[in-house]
Amino acid sequence: MIEIEGLTKRYGPKLAVDDVTFTVRPGIVTGFLGPNGAGKSTTMRMIVGLDKPTAGHALVDGKPYAKHPAPLHEVGALLEAKAVHTGRTAFNHLRALAATHGIPKSRVHDVIAMTGLESVANKRVGGFSLGMGERLGIAAALLGDPHTLILDEPVNGLDPEGVRWVREFCRYLASEGRTVFISSHLMSEMSQTADHLIVLGRGRVLADAPISDVIAGATRRVVRVRTPQVQALTAALAGPDITVTSFDDGALEVSGVDAARIGDIAAASGLPLHELTPVDASLEEAYLELTQDEVEYHSEVTR
Amino acid sequence: MTTATETTTAAGPLDGIRLSFGGVLNSEWIKLHSLRSTMWCLGLVILLSVGFSALVAGVLHLQNPGAIPATNAASLLVQSSTIGVNFTQLVAAVLGVLVISGEYSTGMIRSTFTAVPGRLGAYFGKLIVLAVVVFVVSIVSLGISSLVATGILNARGVNVDLTRSDVLLPLLGGAGYLALVAILAFAFGAIIRSSAGGIAAILGTLLVLPVALQVVAGLTNATWVSNVASFLPSASGGQLYAFVQPNAPAPASGVVALDATTGGLVLAAWVIVGVVIGAVLIKRRDV
Ligand SMILES: Nc1ncnc2c1ncn2[C@@H]1O[C@H](COP(=O)(O)OP(=O)(O)OP(=O)(O)O)[C@@H](O)[C@H]1O
Ligand SMILES: [Mg+2]
């Protein structure tokens, strides 16, 4: 369990994380989403004490990370930036980390096998591909068999097989009762992996809810309707907060009123309906809506 | 999708593990010897030390070698055995900086401080492993150098005795000097956090500063400048491996002359100040 309270980080004039409070619970996968520069990596670095908070604190299982007698057994962290000496082999890198906690060499071999690094374990890390480096980072995070996993963009650079492995492995670890906290900007990835979402934008928490609630919370919920009598139905539906958009193919998109009500109104007016489909916003849309005002680096769309 | 029930993870095989200082020392030892650059540096220390000793012992100008008194012979032996320290100190300095700056430049420091979040354990663990390794390798290299020098000088007809205490102490002092230089360089590396910057700073302190002060002292003829120069790490530490002439003349009034003890203490003070500043910064700064 990770408890974050009033966490704030200022780099000079830049407020990277702004009074953030949330809890990451065990037994589920919690996704940490947000646009570039939102402060996800900074928050994660503060949890393991690499950056000192300007204010607030982060606790892991009730204590600051550094106060645990076996930190690597408490938290396994894969951080964004590379964190390996390029001149050392993968095996020696893991062995050196393991030695600090008296973790046996057999465990080093185990995590190498789990992450599929056997064939390159005795090669120097400097020559590793992006994906192999990412696997080594995951291996290091798993080394201490931690209760809590903090993975900053763990699928970065992985091939599809690797992406699926990470997803299934995270779900498996959570099912064992561990706390799993993963950051990403990939909504599609999160929708398949996470149970709960924390969305960050410009250093502030924009949403902290189960993934289904985040989707449901999106205001853009519409019902697609088809009728031969477009004019009549549009008139019948007219009302405050109700918008009806018509499309070239004859479909209508109605928002502000649910499908059942539309059906009732049509029946009462004797209007035939050929289609009546509630369209959920995708997680992608929900997320874009949440963060549209909070994106730090807007890409200009040229038309 | 299940909501969190307070499940506890099953007891795993790693439940008894602990972060310990012994473990950190072991980790730093693995890190040190698993890098090729370390092996190059240590190999170079032995090569330079033995090579220069053989060279100097072989080419020293000797007049009537058989008649050289025992004290002078001991002095020749110490000089030719420790001549390589002038060069190996640079290698020890580079190694000392790289041990920590290499972790910053590659990002390894993040892994290190995640495993050892108190940070000072890793800092002092690194320092101790570095100092012990440099000391042991220096003892070995100075030992071989002195044996080689003894052999060559004996072959050239000088009657040298390696077992005299005024020969053995400077050899020990030379190894101590190299270990202290490595620690000072390590502190520079921790403070500056860049390989190029750290190496430039320590080589500047060891090589450039003494020369600069010498030039100033020569131009101004000021005693205080040369007195300051004798407190620089290389000059004060140099006393650790210098041969002590039994009846050396007293220094002129106002001129500071450090001996092995005071010189060693001055160098130790440099080292302590550097290490403390490094420790404070390591503890305080973000990684
Ligand atoms: N060490 C630092 N010094 C100065 N500014 C920093 C530092 N680290 C992060 N920042 C700034 O803080 C903000 C948050 O950065 P952070 O890396 O935490 O974002 P992020 O959510 O992880 O973004 P991304 O999705 O691109 O990884 C950014 O504006 C970044 O420029
Ligand atoms: Mg990031």
Side-chain angles (χ1 to χ4, degrees):
Chain A
M1 172 132 85
I2 306 169
E3 293 155 286
I4 288 183
E5 213 180 290
L7 202 64
T8 302
K9 181 68 186 181
R10 185 181 283 282
Y11 295 109
K14 170 95 207 165
L15 197 55
V17 175
D18 182 5
D19 193 15
V20 160
T21 299
F22 62 79
T23 299
V24 183
R25 284 172 299 141
I28 56 171
V29 176
T30 302
F32 198 28
L33 285 175
N36 291 130
K40 305 180 294 292
S41 302
T42 305
T43 303
M44 289 176 152
R45 282 201 306 274
M46 285 193 283
I47 297 171
V48 291
L50 291 178
D51 280 20
K52 300 236 166 20
T54 309
H57 60 257
L59 301 181
V60 183
D61 284 346
K63 283 190 223 175
Y65 173 68
K67 292 275 188 286
H68 286 279
L72 290 185
H73 191 39
E74 198 55 46
V75 176
L78 165 76
L79 298 170
E80 178 179 46
K82 61 190 163 53
V84 185
H85 199 300
T86 42
R88 215 168 266 130
T89 65
F91 176 70
N92 280 330
H93 170 70
L94 293 171
R95 201 158 63 97
L97 291 179
T100 58
H101 283 59
I103 296 169
K105 214 184 262 187
S106 59
R107 176 70 186 170
V108 174
H109 288 294
D110 287 351
V111 296
I112 286 174
M114 276 155 114
T115 51
L117 285 172
E118 293 102 326
S119 61
V120 293
N122 289 313
K123 294 213 164 70
R124 291 197 287 160
V125 178
F128 274 27
S129 68
L130 184 60
M132 288 197 290
E134 202 70 7
R135 284 167 189 267
L136 178 57
I138 294 172
L142 295 173
L143 200 54
D145 192 25
H147 300 305
T148 296
L149 271 136
I150 296 177
L151 307 175
D152 199 355
E153 300 188 35
V155 300
N156 194 9
L158 291 186
D159 52 28
E161 186 270 329
V163 172
R164 207 180 72 195
W165 176 78
V166 167
R167 183 190 304 151
E168 284 168 4
F169 197 62
C170 285
R171 298 213 56 84
Y172 167 71
L173 292 169
S175 76
E176 289 187 316
R178 298 177 210 255
T179 306
V180 182
F181 190 40
I182 325 177
S183 83
S184 173
H185 349 73
L186 292 178
M187 284 352 94
S188 47
E189 184 50 43
M190 280 295 127
S191 63
Q192 294 177 67
T193 314
D195 306 298
H196 193 95
L197 277 188
I198 292 168
V199 181
L200 211 62
R202 292 209 205 188
R204 302 186 135 265
V205 175
L206 303 177
D208 178 356
I211 208 157
S212 50
D213 290 6
V214 174
I215 297 171
T219 50
R220 214 195 74 90
R221 304 197 78 197
V222 298
V223 181
R224 192 163 60 237
V225 184
R226 281 176 201 273
T227 174
Q229 306 198 21
V230 173
Q231 303 266 300
L233 185 66
T234 307
L237 285 173
D241 300 332
I242 296 176
T243 55
V244 180
T245 319
S246 61
F247 288 84
D248 290 346
D249 65 351
L252 300 177
E253 273 194 7
V254 184
S255 64
V257 56
D258 66 5
R261 185 91 192 96
I262 296 171
D264 291 349
I265 292 171
S269 321
L271 296 168
L273 292 184
H274 291 178
E275 185 185 351
L276 183 64
T277 318
V279 185
D280 266 345
S282 65
L283 181 59
E284 187 87 40
E285 287 166 324
Y287 168 74
L288 285 176
E289 190 179 298
L290 265 173
T291 56
Q292 61 190 354
D293 301 325
E294 306 292 339
V295 181
E296 199 144 350
Y297 311 104
H298 268 295
S299 23
E300 286 297 322
V301 181
T302 45
R303 287 168 200 273
Chain B
M1 186 162 45
T2 50
T3 29
T5 43
E6 283 296 322
T7 35
T8 41
T9 25
L14 297 182
D15 275 351
I17 62 171
R18 284 281 172 282
L19 172 61
S20 67
F21 190 61
V24 173
L25 286 176
N26 186 14
S27 167
E28 291 302 334
W29 163 240
I30 293 169
K31 283 196 213 167
L32 191 71
H33 77 72
S34 62
L35 285 181
R36 284 186 197 174
S37 55
T38 311
M39 291 305 160
W40 278 108
C41 286
L42 296 178
L44 206 56
V45 165
I46 296 179
L47 210 67
L48 286 174
S49 183
V50 177
F52 276 100
S53 291
L55 188 73
V56 168
V59 303
L60 262 178
H61 179 66
L62 299 171
Q63 246 173 0
N64 195 1
I68 294 177
T71 310
N72 293 12
S75 171
L76 288 180
L77 177 56
V78 168
Q79 277 177 47
S80 40
S81 302
T82 60
I83 184 76
V85 174
N86 292 301
F87 308 95
T88 54
Q89 65 169 338
L90 308 180
V91 182
V94 168
L95 178 63
V97 170
L98 286 181
V99 160
I100 184 117
S101 68
E103 292 217 359
Y104 278 101
S105 61
T106 57
M108 178 67 198
I109 197 76
R110 280 187 280 269
S111 294
T112 299
F113 286 161
T114 306
V116 190
R119 298 188 188 177
L120 292 184
Y123 179 74
F124 285 106
K126 254 183 208 314
L127 186 157
I128 290 169
V129 168
L130 169 74
V132 169
V133 166
V134 170
F135 185 78
V136 168
V137 169
S138 301
I139 279 283
V140 170
S141 67
L142 284 165
I144 301 173
S145 300
S146 61
L147 288 172
V148 167
T150 303
I152 293 175
L153 288 173
N154 272 333
R156 293 182 68 196
V158 188
N159 210 346
V160 289
D161 175 10
L162 184 54
T163 59
R164 291 166 59 117
S165 67
D166 59 355
V167 170
L168 290 178
L169 280 178
L171 293 180
L172 202 64
Y177 173 73
L178 291 173
L180 287 170
V181 164
I183 301 175
L184 185 63
F186 170 80
F188 276 41
I191 293 166
I192 298 172
R193 294 192 286 186
S194 118
S195 301
I199 290 172
I202 188 69
L203 295 191
T205 308
L206 293 176
L207 290 182
V208 181
L209 227 48
V211 174
L213 285 182
Q214 224 168 46
V215 168
V216 175
L219 290 175
T220 60
N221 226 345
T223 315
W224 70 266
V225 178
S226 44
N227 280 345
V228 168
S230 49
F231 281 89
L232 289 176
S234 44
S236 57
Q239 302 302 321
L240 285 172
Y241 58 95
F243 180 77
V244 182
Q245 293 290 350
N247 0 307
S253 74
V255 175
V256 177
L258 300 174
D259 59 19
T261 311
T262 52
L265 287 175
V266 168
L267 178 57
W270 277 90
V271 168
I272 290 169
V273 169
V275 167
V276 168
I277 295 174
V280 170
L281 290 176
I282 284 273
K283 188 81 187 164
R284 266 225 300 257
R285 286 189 295 216
D286 288 342
V287 184

